[in-house]
Structure formats: structure tokens, C-alpha cells
Amino acid sequence: MTDQMISADVIGEHNKSNEAALGSDYAALGENLSRRGIDIEAITKKVSEFFVAVPSWGVGTGGTRFARFPGQGEPRGIFDKLEDCSVINELTRATPTVSLHIPWDKTDPKDLKAKGNSLGLGFDAMNSNTFSDAPGQAHSYKYGSLSHTDAATRAQAVEHNIECIEIGNAIGSKALTVWIGDGSNFPGQANFTRQFERYLSSMADIYKALPDDWRLFSEHKMYEPAFYSTVVQDWGSNLLIAQTLGDKAFCLVDLGHHAPNTNIEMIVARLIQFKKLGGFHFNDSKYGDDDLDAGSIDPYRLFLVFNELVDAENRGVKGFHPAHMIDQSHNVTDPIESLISSANEIRRAYAQALIVDRKALDGYQQDNDALMATDTLKRAYRTDVEPILAEARRRAGGAIDPIAAYRKSGYRKKVAGERPAVVGGSGGIV
Amino acid sequence: MTDQMISADVIGEHNKSNEAALGSDYAALGENLSRRGIDIEAITKKVSEFFVAVPSWGVGTGGTRFARFPGQGEPRGIFDKLEDCSVINELTRATPTVSLHIPWDKTDPKDLKAKGNSLGLGFDAMNSNTFSDAPGQAHSYKYGSLSHTDAATRAQAVEHNIECIEIGNAIGSKALTVWIGDGSNFPGQANFTRQFERYLSSMADIYKALPDDWRLFSEHKMYEPAFYSTVVQDWGSNLLIAQTLGDKAFCLVDLGHHAPNTNIEMIVARLIQFKKLGGFHFNDSKYGDDDLDAGSIDPYRLFLVFNELVDAENRGVKGFHPAHMIDQSHNVTDPIESLISSANEIRRAYAQALIVDRKALDGYQQDNDALMATDTLKRAYRTDVEPILAEARRRAGGAIDPIAAYRKSGYRKKVAGERPAVVGGSGGIV
Amino acid sequence: MTDQMISADVIGEHNKSNEAALGSDYAALGENLSRRGIDIEAITKKVSEFFVAVPSWGVGTGGTRFARFPGQGEPRGIFDKLEDCSVINELTRATPTVSLHIPWDKTDPKDLKAKGNSLGLGFDAMNSNTFSDAPGQAHSYKYGSLSHTDAATRAQAVEHNIECIEIGNAIGSKALTVWIGDGSNFPGQANFTRQFERYLSSMADIYKALPDDWRLFSEHKMYEPAFYSTVVQDWGSNLLIAQTLGDKAFCLVDLGHHAPNTNIEMIVARLIQFKKLGGFHFNDSKYGDDDLDAGSIDPYRLFLVFNELVDAENRGVKGFHPAHMIDQSHNVTDPIESLISSANEIRRAYAQALIVDRKALDGYQQDNDALMATDTLKRAYRTDVEPILAEARRRAGGAIDPIAAYRKSGYRKKVAGERPAVVGGSGGIV
Amino acid sequence: MTDQMISADVIGEHNKSNEAALGSDYAALGENLSRRGIDIEAITKKVSEFFVAVPSWGVGTGGTRFARFPGQGEPRGIFDKLEDCSVINELTRATPTVSLHIPWDKTDPKDLKAKGNSLGLGFDAMNSNTFSDAPGQAHSYKYGSLSHTDAATRAQAVEHNIECIEIGNAIGSKALTVWIGDGSNFPGQANFTRQFERYLSSMADIYKALPDDWRLFSEHKMYEPAFYSTVVQDWGSNLLIAQTLGDKAFCLVDLGHHAPNTNIEMIVARLIQFKKLGGFHFNDSKYGDDDLDAGSIDPYRLFLVFNELVDAENRGVKGFHPAHMIDQSHNVTDPIESLISSANEIRRAYAQALIVDRKALDGYQQDNDALMATDTLKRAYRTDVEPILAEARRRAGGAIDPIAAYRKSGYRKKVAGERPAVVGGSGGIV
């Protein structure tokens, strides 16, 4: 029996008052889908089996270099964070695992595991941090970490990653995600080639420490914190890394880490085709690495990414099991609400992709009937699948409208009373 | 007699050992220019009369939301900052004024003025800060400041700007720069129109408090810290602000605040034509508001901006006196060195623009001789005007190679001994 | 009684076989909306009164500088084009007007009017063309038109625009759209300021010739065909034009004419607020001025634009009546099908914007409840309003599924038999 | 003895009147470089041995989808084009080879070779064209070529490429460049994975036909003519192609084919490191594939690309011999002048990269002295190396100022008298 942060009563009462409307909408949608040859129950089942990991660092309020404006009841440490994560899962039944960031979440693995167990939460990919200096650290990452010119600094960064693997191993994680900020701010500051050689060498050292059943995810990003060049700047460099390291190395795609106008879904398709898609950091963006809620800016793009995933499923791509994780920064919303909403949007995109008439699509593609092909995607996309998502939640013990139920529960107010207020402000970084 | 942070001896010795080479290069350049009908002395004179303000906040090490890695001898407050600014001016003789940021630099204006006087520094535009919360502030700017939905928050932000004017007035400043982070992170979060109405109303209140001989600069920026919409998102909105407020209101152009691919020099031309160019925040960028050193990424663009300024001078545009300020974030360099280098690059662009053969250019433009027109700019641009810049510095008491002289002076080491080390790290904002 | 390109029988039969399913979906949607306090009939009525003009040049197959691949039954001239336009309107009942391009569509206005009348079509804004040279033209537009350095070339361009007004006047148009390609390909090729002065002067001459009840639309575009600078490069310059010319001058927004990442809906809001929004050229784009079908790449963005239009309607903005026009290039689809689909997508965005709960939205905005505010937009957006669109068409005599009915009608095959095949290929422009 | 399009007398006279000034500038530069430890003669020698191929299609006036405005004396066919190319080489002595485009330049290879010989011109990489339909072609490329869903269309495209190899083989070319426009305009139009599989299969067929001493260059491009997805969209996909095909397959980098803000020089470094850089299509761009003159928009970027090439040379990378080609569209200039100017800019970037103090740079990079590292590049970049370029031309029989000599020669006027005027205009593609 797991601890519940949100009482079953709150959820039960909420669902009760929304069941009739949901029933009506679900029936109408079922009838519509049935006319299109789709069994709504099959979709609901697949949706209810689709999960996405939440990031431990995502339940605290984010910020920018200009300021951070904390909210009420900010989590004080990893145990508070896990409780907040549990709230999300209890209401959505879509997020049974948490992704940790070390050293932020560093503590005795036994305690982590026990807390996870008590909340019914597992642990997804581990995340290392060599983009900032931890107190007392021997060598600074100011000029790089895994690709630093100094061997001792590189060794320290490698060591830290190996420690992340060890912690992860103790708590049941099966993957390490490596994102670094290494790069340069000025032309000439770094020799691109030597820097990449050093990076590859450090990564090879980490790779050696990887247990057999683990995967190593490297994450590319165009810029920030480095503003002229970044070592793993795009999927091309990322692919070279995964190819160089070996079969357990894969590329991680963060939707906000690309150049303007990039066709991300095509990159996803290429990585799948060449067996190197490791998984995702879901979020949305309008400008740069904005880390906004998944689907909040360009929901059709999110759908198109899932269209590739479902296409790969349908083609029976061998060994295809990408990791689904959220990576967002919640600056103006209650982080719990944003994560609930994002998990829902991700499932929405998946559900829409599932109801694409793939046989018809294939025919239109063969015939170069561009209009009907794109219309086939659009018909699926514009279907309001919320009744499916709500019903999947309801059946699994979650809430029909999880944000409404969360607000009703008074959880934020409760933790605001328990957790001391945090002062925000600016470090004057500008 | 002003206090000197860098002893005249250090500069004198440095110059002595570089004078012969400079003399030779200056003579050769003079001969080359003379063949092109240009008097090198006239250019050197104009360059030596061109100044750019340095930002008080720029002498501390910058950072990103991921981390800040402080350097040695970080300034502890505005008086340390002014001393660092003085170093820059002593070596370049190009930066006799400092731009302050309130409340970061808030202290008794009399002390500010006295310190400035002792160092031979004046004060340029004042900068208000309503993009972060100051300790003890009654109303938070989390959801906006001058455009906030709440009247009391708006009033507080207006009041803060008026205070900035008052401080500035006491120390000899003649302009207020208003940059706000107000905007939204999600579609629908704000009503664009009402938000802009509130902004205009607040700005009108500030404008009323402006002394007759002051100017009000509003600064546009595409995004960050707001990631879906920003109230003053581009020069179009900025122009509407300046038009709405009145004759003392002008637009400030920060080179890093535009959409990808934007032709910034054209915006500069438009604002000049319609009498609304207030001035610049110089820096350079490759991706977003990267705040890199001026001219470090795209030096030709900087030249093209100055080409517009010199063109306006040449056409005798009435009342044309834009404010030149640097606004950068120095994350991996000694901030003093970056500011020295940037001041130099800005003067370089100006010198290059001065030697454009404008009569020939005009003829080619009339004849639609695109190739020769652009070649006319390129001929000026590719001229190595460093001897002019160095000679202008030398004659004014600065250093022929100011970075070399600075390093020789041991200033950074000295202040590192006096000012306590600062611990960096990450707020876990990500 | 108008001529029908598509027989009423074809439409009637098509509708008959789709009525039952539509009835069921419409009832279910009505029930769902009613629970949300929305009367479906009110929405259906508003949608059926919303129209968008189709471009005469859009019914021919488009192309790129690399190649054009014509389709079957390409229209041979304006009368064929009008017949194709009529097909679109007969099936959608959403496009009762056509926008002409002169000199492409130049012919005796009486004949134009007669043909329009016979088809039940009216004429929307006239479009001038000074971006290419017409055979026999005295002065070339190679180096510009309204902003050319040569006065005779400018006069010719002005004259052409006045002729467009005259033709338009004779056929019932009430607006002139001016889009020019003037700009430069190289820094220095043109003096930005003088070029804009010449443009404004030419436009003033055109403005003088404008009948009292006409509007003049100027259209901005970032680049192409000019690749370094464009005279009307963005909405800032466009605003200055409309302000300088007078009350009958307005800005036209083409969705594909902006810098990457631009928040277009905010520009729309600003232009509405300052009474200078003239109207739209609807289309969609992923990279540049791709001229793809409306809503095909980023349907949420199209919705957000309409959200601003409906917000303005709701706020009762005086004199608010933007012109809605499609401007697309159909390179790989049957142009008639793309225009049918686009008209539908535009109405879809309008319908979705109509069902936004604006009272709730306003409350969330006041409270800075970003999550619920954006969710309020999303709830409306994700509603599948196709039953409303289909029902509006059906009631007005159009087709429930206009693409299906069009294909059934055999129209393309019929005109392919009548109109000679066109050879495509490349001019080797590359 | 080769035919000379520009008489030696014209060049001789021109040089005579410019020799004194050049001598003076060359001596001054030599003295300056010598102080920096650089032997000017060594640089001049390397520059004089650096060549870049000109594109046969580049000597005709280019255009956009909106219009083409031909110039005077447009070449009527490949033999006129070769004569124009010869003019460029005679004046610059930097462009001894021409790159052909088939079928545009298709004619009896013997005649091509003879004409080349008579002009002293060789032939660089061959270019195939499957992005437009040639008259009489059996299968259209409207929906793709090498990746078309139809096997017969793919076979036709493969066959065309093999024919290009055969022609090239007969005239001494050693490489085939494959650029295709294949992609899609709408989400769903093509299945990304199957399309790429078909492309790879077609390319494998071409690769099989490649002589042992040939190289196959595949060229990536983000968009245009396809506006939603492109099969070879970026260097990531391009790398996969080269890896899949084999050791003779390399990636071609066109500077205008990347997403906004892309760090192209880093891509160049990566491709060198993994032995897959085939060569370049040089040009410049501000927005998209603008095909402007090399170095005209961002000359520092061009320098940074050459910085990577010289760095690779210095590191002694094995088998490193990238192909240098220009690919531009000259819409508003005399194409011969633009190509002369571009060849010069490319050599300028090379010369500047040669004088980078690489030992100092390496030291600064090791020490993370970002400021001095970038300054080391800047010192080389801002050196006005025009005297070196001019002297290299002069010594090889070219012109000190090739544009001035060209204008003096009257070549354009002469061919305008011989070659009939071409009518421009628009295909109404828009």
C-alpha cells in the first residue's frame, strides 16, 4: 500500500461529479471513431499504458538569468520533490517514474529507494551535472568539463558521471543522461576538433563504467550556456558520439534544443532508422531553450513527433523503446500543475497519433496525394481525444480533470504551511 | 587631478616599447589613405572624440541560468565597480562615463558623484530594474511590472523609475533607460492589448517626472525572460511607445535583442529617419541575447550599423546624438578586458565607417552599381585602422595595446588580494 | 441565376450520403458545447457569415526558382481562373470574392464584371505588380520600382498602381494591395533612408488617386526577392507607411513574411490597437515565405491570430473590418483542392476562436493564472469544430466534404480535356 | 597558347598604372607581417596556389520565383559560358576550372574539352539536375527523383547521374555533386524513413558507377524547393549518406543551406575530423539560400571556415583535399564581376587564415585565455591582405584590380553586341 499525497476521497468526489459528462463525451467519440473503423477501447488501453518520467528538478520553480520568482511551498530537497512528483502521478496515473539530477538530489540511495517505494514511484534516467560548480569541488567547470583542456578536470567530470551510475544502479535506474554546457563563447577560444576528441575520450571512460543493461543518452543542444559554439551542438555531432561509443549509446532529443525552423520530427525519424534514438526531453519552445510546457506553443509539432514514434511501432522497428521524459522550467505556474498538464499533452499527442489511419496514409503517400496524406494526419490531430485521456486516468484511479482535482485538494496550501518561504531575486547576472 | 588605478608609469613604459612599430604602421596607413584622398589626422581626431559608456554591471562576471563562475577580484559594490570602470577608461580613453543600474548601484548620490569625480568619470543613462524582486519589496514582479494587471504593482514600478531619475539627476545623468521583462510564457496568459495599454499608461507617468533636458529610452527585446510574448517585443512596438509618449522619448537598440536574420542596420536607419533613435546597447550575439563582446561574432554588422550613424552625420540629421553604451555579460573573460576590447571594436567600426568614400558610394547607389557600392563599403571595412585607434589612445594618455598594458599592470591580481573570493554555482534554476 | 461549375446534383448526392454522420456529430458537439454554455447554432451562424477571398493567381500551379511542375487543366487566363475560383466557392460557400493581380489578369473590366456576375463572384482587393517586368515596359524594375533611384521608373510604377485602382473601381473592388520587391542584395547597394523617402513619395502619389471609400494596403516582407534589405521589411516600417499616408492606409499581414520565431499574433494585436490593421494574406510556412496551405504547418498559430480578431470584435473595436485573403503557392497539390482546404482551415480557426470562454479567460488573465488562461484557449482549440464547418457549408448549398465532392465531380478531368497541357521545366535560374 | 578573352595589353596597361601603389602597400604589409614573424612571400605563394572552381550556371543572370531580370550579353550556351569563365580566370588567375551542370551544359564532350583546352580551363565536379523536368523526359520529378515512390522515376534519375559521370569522365572531371530537391511540402506527404531508404538505394546505384579515382559529393540543404521536409536536410543526414555509401562518398557544404544561426565552421570541423568533408559551394546569405557573393554579408564567417581548413592543413590531416567551388546567383550584378569579386574574397579569407599565429592560438586555447585566443584570430582577420592578393594576381598574369581592368576591357559591351538580348519577366509563379 503506497502513501497517497492526495486522498482517494478527493479524487473520488471529483470524478463522481464529472462522470456523467465524460460518459457522454466518451460515447460520442466512440461512435465517431467507430465510423472511422477505430475501436476506442483499444486506444484507451494503449494510452493507459503510456508513461512519461517527470524531472525531480521540475517541481521547483524555475527562473532565468535575470530573476527567479519562487512560488509557495517550494520543495526543500529530494524528499519533498518526490512527494510533489507523487501528486502528479496520483492524479494523472501517467508518471510513475522520476528522473534524478545529481548532485542536486544526492542522498543515501537506500533512502531514495525507500521513499520511492512508499510513494509507488520508480526512477528513470539519472542526470549528471557538470555545467555548474558544486561547493567544494576541486576543479571548476568554468571552461568545460568532459572536454576541458585540463586532464584533471575531465577526470573529475568522468568520476561524477560514474557516481551517478552507481547511485542509479542502487535505485533501479537503467540509463544515464549526459548533457554538458561545454563549448565556447568566442571564435578561437577552443579548437573544435581537439575539444571533441577530449569529449569522446571522456565519454568512452564513462561508457566503460556502464552496466550491461544500461543505456547512455547524450543530449545535443545548439547553444546556452555556451554562446558561440557547443560541443554537442546538434544531432549530427550527437550521432557521431553514439556511433563512436557503442551499442549502448543513444541520442537524446530535447525538443527545445534545435536551430530555428528545424524539422525535429525528421531528426527523430533519422535516429530511429539508424537505431540511435535514445529518448526525449519533452517541452515546448518558441525562441530558444524556453523549456515551456509540452504542447503549449506548437501542439501540432508534438503530434508530428509522436506520429514518427507510432509509425516506428507500426513498422515493428526492432529494439525500439525510447525513454520519455519531461524537462521543463516552470517560471510562472505551479510546477505541479504544469507537469500534470504536460503529461496530459504528451498522452494527447500519442492518442492522436494512434488514430491516424495508417493504411490510408500509406496509400496516399504511394500516390503522392499530398493533400489527402496531410489531411489524414489532420483528421486524427483535430479529433478531441480528451475523453480517452480522462477515461484512462479515471480507470487507473486518477482524476478526470487532474488540475481541478489538485486545486480542490489544497495540496499547495498545505505544503506552503509546512515548507518555509524562499526568497527570490536576481543575482545581478544579466 | 584624478586618481589613477593604473599608474602612468606602466602605461608610459608600455607605450615606449610599442611606439616605433605604431609609428611605422601609422605612417604606412596614412600614406595609403592619402592616396585615397583621406587625411588620417582628421580620422584620428574624430575617433579620439568618440566615446562609449560602460555598464557598472558589466565589470562583474556574468552567467547564465545554469551557472555563474566568478572570477578573481570581483567588485564588491558600486565603488569597486567604478574603480574597475576607471581602469578601462585610463587605458582606452574611450569610456569616460558609466551607466548605473538601480537598485544594484544604489547609494548616496553625493558619494557616487564624489567617487566619479575622483576618478574622472561621469554618469551616463540610468537603468531601472523591475525585472527582479529586490529584498523587502512590497509587490512582486513575477507577473509583470509596468504592465502588471495590479495597479499597486504598476505604481511601485513607476515609483522606482522616478527614483532612478532622481538619483540620476543628482549625479549628472541625462537619460533613463527602461527595459522590462514583462510579457507572458503562455498563449492567453496576458491580453496583449490591455497589457500594452497598462504599459503605456505607466510609462506616461514616468515621462511626466522626466526633467526637461532628459531623454527617456525604451528598449525592445524579442524574448527572455518572457518566452511566449514580450510587451516591447520589437522596434515596431518601441516606436509606438516613443511616439505616444512625446518628444523626449526615444528607442534604444540593443544589438542582441532581435529575431534571427534581422537587418538591424536598417532598423537603425528607420529610427534615425523618424527622429526616434535614442541610442545603443552594444554587444554581439550569434543566437539570442548572448551579450558577447561587441564585434566578436559579426564585426561587419557592427560596421554596417556605424555606417548608418556616419551617414546620418553626413546628411546633417538635426538633433542626432545617439547615446552609445555597452551592455554585455562576461562569463569566461576578465570583464575589464572584455570591456576594453569592446570599446576598441566600437571605435574601430566608427573609424572604418568614417573612411568610406561617401561621394563615390552615393554615385554608385544612384547608378545601381551594386557591386561597386558594396565594394566601397568593403574597402573601408577591410582597412586595418588599428594604428588610428592606437594613436588616438596614445595621444590621450591611454595605452597603445591596452590589454597588454592591463595585464602588465597587475591590477587584477591586486584587487584579487583585496576583494574576497566569491563562490559561484548554480541556483538549480535550469 | 448563376452558372454552376459543379452541378447541384453532384453536391446533393454527396451530401445525402454524409448527412446522417454529420447529424450525429453535430448533435454530439452541440450537446458538449451546451454543457460549456455555448449555443452551437450561434457559432454556426457566425461561421457561415465569415468569408475569405481567393487569389486569382492561386488557382494555377506555383513553383520555385528551381522549377515549376504544372498540373493538368491549368487555367489559360483570367476567365478560366474565375471558373476555378467559382468551384471553390460553390463547394465551400466561404469564398465569394476573388482578388485580382494586374497585369496578369488585365482585360476589359466589363468582361471581368460580367463573368464575375455570371458565377456569383465579386472582387476583393486589387494587386499591382511592379516586382517583374511586363513585356514592352519602358523602364525595368530590376533595381526597384516605387523606390527606384530613377524618377521615370517610379512614375511608371505609380501609374501602374493607379491603373489597378481604375480597373478595380470598374469591377467593384474597394482596396489596393501594394507589395513590392524593392530592396537590395548587398550592403551599400541602396541608401536605406533615401530609398524609403522615395518609396513614401511614390505611395503618396498613389494614395492621392485612391477613391474615398477605398483602402490602401501595404504589405511588409522580410526578404525575397531582395536578399540583403527590403524596403518594407517588417511591420515597423509598414506602420510608418500607413501613418505617413493617412486614414485610408493600412498594413497588410502575410503570415509567411516574418523573421523566424516572430510572434505574429502580437503584431496583429498591436496593429488593431493602433487602428492600422488592414487585413491578411493567409498561408502557412515553416522556413520562409513558403506559401503553404493555411494551417498546414502550425494550426495553433492560425488559431492564435483569430483569437486576436475575435478578441477585437468582442472589445467592440471601432472601424474594425480586416480584409481576409488567401495568398498561397500550390506546387504539389491541385490548387483548387488546396484553396478549398485552406478556406476551411481559416473558418476552423475562426470557429475555435469563437468558442473561447472569454469571460473565464479575462478572469484568469486578471489573476495571472497562466495555466488556466492558456488551458482556456486550448480547450477551445482542441474542440473538433468540423461538424460546425460542414453544417455551415451544407446549409448554404456547399458540400459536407468539399474535397470528396470535388473529386467526385470530375471537374479537373473535364478542364484537362479542354485546356491544353502546359510544359514545365526550369529557367535555369538556380 | 590559349585564347585570351581579355587582351594582355589591357591587363598590362592596367597593372602598370597600379604597380607603384601596390608596391608601396605590399612593402608596408611585408614589414608589418615581418614584425609578427610572418614571411609575406610565403603567404603570397600559398595564395597563388589556391584555386576555386566557378559554376557554368553562374555566369548567366540569376533570378527568383518572382522574376528574372537578364543583363546584357547573356551567354547563349555552354561555349559562351566557358568564355565568360575564362575572363574571370584571366583576370584573377584563381579560377582555372569550371563546374558543369547537366543537362544545361550537355553537348559533345569532345567539343567541351577542346573549348576548355583552348581557353586553358579544366573541369571540376559535374552537377546533375533532377530538380526540374527536362523537355521530353519520360517521368516527372514533381514528386521527387532519387527518392521517388515510383521505381521507374528513380531509375531515370540514377541513369541521368551516371550519364553525368560519363560526360565528366570524358572531359577530365573527378567528382559528381548530387543535389536534389526531393522532400515534401506537407506533413504526412512522405514517409521520412521510406523516402530516405529509397534515396540511399538510388545513391548506391550511382556510387557503383563511380570510377575508382572519383569522389561522390552529396549536398545537404534545409529547405527550398521543398518547404516542409527535405530528404538531405542537414549535415547529420548527409553524414549518414556518406557513411552508408563508402570511402569515395563525401559531404558537400554549401554555406547558404543551413538553419538560422547555425555554426557552420563547426560542422566543417566535424566533417574533417570524421574524414567526410568533400568540399564547398561558397556563397553568402543573410536569410535563406540567398546565393549572394562570397563574403558579402558575413566576411568573418567565411574567414572562420577557412580557419578550420588551415587548421586541418596544419594538423596534417590525411587525405584532406576539399573541393572549392562557388555556387551563387547573380541577380543585380554583372555575373562576371560577382564571380571575380567572390574568388577574391575566398582567397582573402584563406590568406587571413594563413597569417593566424597558430602557435600563440594553441597556447591561449590550452590556457582558456578566451580573450587572447579570439584576439589572435581577429588580428589576422583585420589585416588588410589585399596587397598579397593583388600581387599574387599580378605575378600570375592577372590584374591588380580585376574589376577595374574588366570594365576597362569593354568585354561586356562586346558580347552584348554579339549575343542577342534576352527578355526577362515573370512566369507568374509567385
Side-chain angles (χ1 to χ4, degrees), chain A residues 63-68 224 227 425-430, chain B residues 55-70 74 81 101 104 129 131-132 179 224 289-291 327-331 335 423-429:
Chain A
T64 69
R65 64 178 164 135
F66 297 101
R68 192 174 87 88
E224 195 206 23
F227 291 120
S426 147
I429 293 181
V430 187
Chain B
S56 67
W57 61 96
V59 291
T61 299
T64 69
R65 63 178 164 133
F66 297 101
R68 191 174 88 88
F69 301 98
E74 294 275 312
K81 289 180 189 177
H101 221 303
W104 297 335
N129 175 344
F131 51 79
S132 68
W179 172 71
E224 195 208 22
D289 186 26
D290 309 332
D291 275 333
D327 182 10
Q328 298 172 175
S329 180
H330 310 107
N331 302 355
V423 180
S426 148
I429 292 180

Side-chain angles (χ1 to χ4, degrees), chain A residues 187 228 231 234-235 265 270 374, chain D residues 187 228 231 234-235 265 374:
Chain A
Y228 163 62
V231 173
D234 59 15
W235 79 276
E265 54 270 28
R270 292 285 183 271
T374 206
Chain D
Y228 164 63
V231 173
D234 59 14
W235 79 277
E265 54 270 27
T374 206

Side-chain angles (χ1 to χ4, degrees), chain B residues 187 228 231 234-235 265 270 374, chain C residues 187 228 234-235 265 270 374:
Chain B
Y228 164 63
V231 173
D234 59 15
W235 79 276
E265 54 270 28
R270 293 284 183 270
T374 205
Chain C
Y228 164 63
D234 60 14
W235 80 276
E265 54 269 29
R270 292 285 183 271
T374 205

Side-chain angles (χ1 to χ4, degrees), chain D residues 3-7 10 59 72-88 90-91 115 119 121 334-337 340 402-419:
Chain D
D3 294 346
Q4 287 271 112
M5 294 296 109
I6 306 294
S7 89
V10 165
V59 290
Q72 292 204 303
E74 294 275 313
R76 291 157 296 184
I78 181 59
F79 299 112
D80 281 358
K81 289 180 189 177
L82 287 173
E83 293 188 356
D84 288 1
C85 290
S86 187
V87 170
I88 298 161
E90 291 167 27
L91 291 163
K115 184 70 177 177
L119 294 164
L121 294 175
D334 180 331
I336 289 176
E337 295 189 1
I340 286 172
I403 301 285
Y406 169 73
R407 291 195 171 189
K408 193 68 184 267
S409 78
Y411 179 81
R412 179 59 65 195
K413 202 180 162 190
K414 185 177 76 82
V415 295
E418 295 161 6
R419 304 171 183 172

Side-chain angles (χ1 to χ4, degrees), chain D residues 90-389:
Chain D
E90 291 167 27
L91 291 163
T92 64
R93 298 297 162 182
T95 62
T97 56
V98 179
S99 205
L100 300 187
H101 223 303
I102 305 297
W104 295 337
D105 300 331
K106 191 173 165 178
T107 191
D108 188 327
K110 273 190 240 106
D111 296 340
L112 285 171
K113 206 169 176 183
K115 184 70 177 177
N117 282 343
S118 79
L119 294 164
L121 294 175
F123 295 97
D124 209 272
M126 302 298 295
N127 295 268
S128 59
N129 175 343
T130 63
F131 50 79
S132 69
D133 287 350
Q137 185 177 305
H139 306 280
S140 170
Y141 297 134
K142 180 165 188 167
Y143 300 108
S145 59
L146 293 171
S147 78
H148 201 288
T149 52
D150 175 55
T153 310
R154 294 198 301 275
Q156 173 185 285
V158 168
E159 203 45 57
H160 167 69
N161 275 280
I162 293 173
E163 186 195 16
C164 291
I165 295 172
E166 289 164 354
I167 297 172
N169 218 12
I171 60 173
S173 172
K174 293 289 173 202
L176 174 71
T177 297
V178 181
W179 172 71
I180 60 167
D182 293 35
S184 70
N185 272 10
F186 294 95
Q189 178 184 341
N191 183 293
F192 292 152
T193 304
R194 290 181 175 139
Q195 195 178 34
F196 199 42
E197 287 168 351
R198 292 188 299 261
Y199 171 83
L200 288 170
S201 168
S202 296
M203 285 293 275
D205 291 342
I206 297 169
Y207 189 83
K208 272 183 234 146
L210 209 64
D212 281 352
D213 59 347
W214 273 53
R215 291 189 289 169
L216 179 57
F217 300 144
S218 48
E219 187 175 350
H220 59 271
K221 181 173 180 180
M222 193 190 206
Y223 72 100
E224 195 207 23
F227 291 120
Y228 164 63
S229 72
T230 292
V231 173
V232 192
Q233 86 276 26
D234 59 14
W235 79 277
S237 281
N238 206 351
L239 177 74
L240 285 167
I241 295 164
Q243 289 177 336
T244 302
L245 293 179
D247 287 350
K248 295 183 290 183
F250 295 88
C251 302
L252 188 82
V253 175
D254 182 300
L255 299 187
H257 287 191
H258 302 84
N261 302 344
T262 298
N263 186 323
I264 300 172
E265 54 270 27
M266 191 160 200
I267 292 173
V268 170
R270 291 284 183 272
L271 288 174
I272 293 172
Q273 186 173 357
F274 286 81
K275 315 286 188 207
K276 283 300 188 188
L277 180 68
F280 293 92
H281 272 181
F282 289 116
N283 53 52
D284 210 341
S285 70
K286 185 161 181 64
Y287 305 100
D289 186 26
D290 307 333
D291 275 332
L292 299 179
D293 293 6
S296 64
I297 298 297
D298 189 349
Y300 194 46
R301 178 168 56 187
L302 185 62
F303 163 79
L304 291 173
V305 166
F306 271 93
N307 181 50
E308 292 305 318
L309 300 183
V310 172
D311 176 66
E313 259 181 53
N314 269 35
R315 285 186 287 107
V317 173
K318 265 198 199 166
F320 179 66
H321 62 120
H324 304 114
M325 296 170 276
I326 297 175
D327 181 10
Q328 298 174 172
S329 179
H330 310 107
N331 302 354
V332 297
T333 56
D334 180 331
I336 289 176
E337 295 189 1
S338 270
L339 286 165
I340 286 172
S341 166
S342 299
N344 206 35
E345 290 304 304
I346 290 163
R347 275 193 164 180
R348 186 188 316 283
Y350 179 57
Q352 290 165 329
L354 285 173
I355 62 177
V356 168
D357 183 342
R358 289 190 186 274
K359 210 184 141 191
L361 179 63
D362 189 57
Y364 294 132
Q365 288 173 344
Q366 282 299 321
D367 297 346
N368 294 303
D369 190 342
L371 191 116
M372 286 309 297
T374 206
D375 188 60
T376 301
L377 293 189
K378 279 295 205 60
R379 268 171 209 251
Y381 172 71
R382 73 179 179 238
T383 305
D384 188 351
V385 297
E386 184 62 27
I388 291 173
L389 311 182

Side-chain angles (χ1 to χ4, degrees), chain B residues 149 187-188 191-192 194 197 228 230-231 234-235 237 243 263 265-266 270 308 311 362 365-366 368 374, chain C residues 149 187-188 191-192 194 228 230-231 234-235 237 243 263 265-266 270 308 311 362 365-366 368 374:
Chain B
T149 51
N191 183 293
F192 292 151
R194 288 181 176 137
E197 286 168 353
Y228 164 63
T230 292
V231 173
D234 59 15
W235 79 276
S237 280
Q243 288 177 338
N263 186 321
E265 54 270 28
M266 191 161 201
R270 293 284 183 270
E308 292 305 317
D311 177 66
D362 189 57
Q365 289 173 343
Q366 282 299 320
N368 294 302
T374 205
Chain C
T149 51
N191 183 294
F192 293 152
R194 289 182 176 136
Y228 164 63
T230 293
V231 174
D234 60 14
W235 80 276
S237 281
Q243 287 177 338
N263 186 321
E265 54 269 29
M266 190 159 201
R270 292 285 183 271
E308 291 306 317
D311 177 66
D362 189 57
Q365 288 172 343
Q366 282 299 320
N368 295 302
T374 205

